[in-house]
């Protein structure tokens, strides 16, 4: 939203297609150039949780909200917040 921060959710990474572990990539625009993306992944990640299915940035681009489902053995969904 701030025009200087971009987030992309990838539900098929880092384990590759079929694992759906997921990750999110964040890049910042500085002096007209996009930086190399930073990878965001949950510390409690599980196979097939689809982390990164939905992603959202705060209006000022400083906070990322990333969803996952089947987050644990009880198949509960979760939202992760990265500042």
């Amino acid at each position: 939203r701030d025009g200087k921060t971009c987030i992309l959710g990838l539900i098929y990474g880092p384990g590759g297609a079929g694992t759906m572990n997921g990750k999110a990539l964040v890049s910042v625009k500085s002096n007209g150039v996009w930086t190399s993306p930073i990878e965001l992944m949950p510390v409690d990640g599980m196979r097939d949780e689809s982390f990164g299915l939905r992603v959202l940035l705060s209006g000022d681009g400083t906070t990322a909200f990333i969803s996952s489902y089947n987050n644990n053995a009880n198949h509960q969904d979760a939202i992760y917040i990265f500042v």
Side-chain angles (χ1 to χ4, degrees):
R1 295 179 116 184
D2 69 346
K4 297 179 184 173
T5 309
C6 177
I7 187 167
L8 175 67
L10 303 167
I11 63 170
Y12 292 112
T19 58
M20 295 181 72
N21 293 13
K23 64 182 173 183
L25 302 175
V26 177
S27 185
V28 177
K29 193 174 188 179
S30 177
N31 295 322
V33 178
W34 289 99
T35 61
S36 295
I38 297 169
E39 288 188 0
L40 300 177
M41 297 186 306
V43 295
D44 62 347
M46 292 181 55
R47 182 180 175 91
D48 297 330
E49 74 173 341
S50 295
F51 177 82
L53 179 66
R54 290 180 180 85
V55 295
L56 176 72
L57 284 173
S58 62
D60 62 3
T62 61
T63 306
F65 302 87
I66 305 167
S67 73
S68 70
Y69 69 90
N70 289 334
N71 180 258
N72 57 31
N74 296 323
H75 304 289
Q76 295 173 324
D77 300 340
I79 297 288
Y80 292 83
I81 301 171
F82 293 85
V83 180

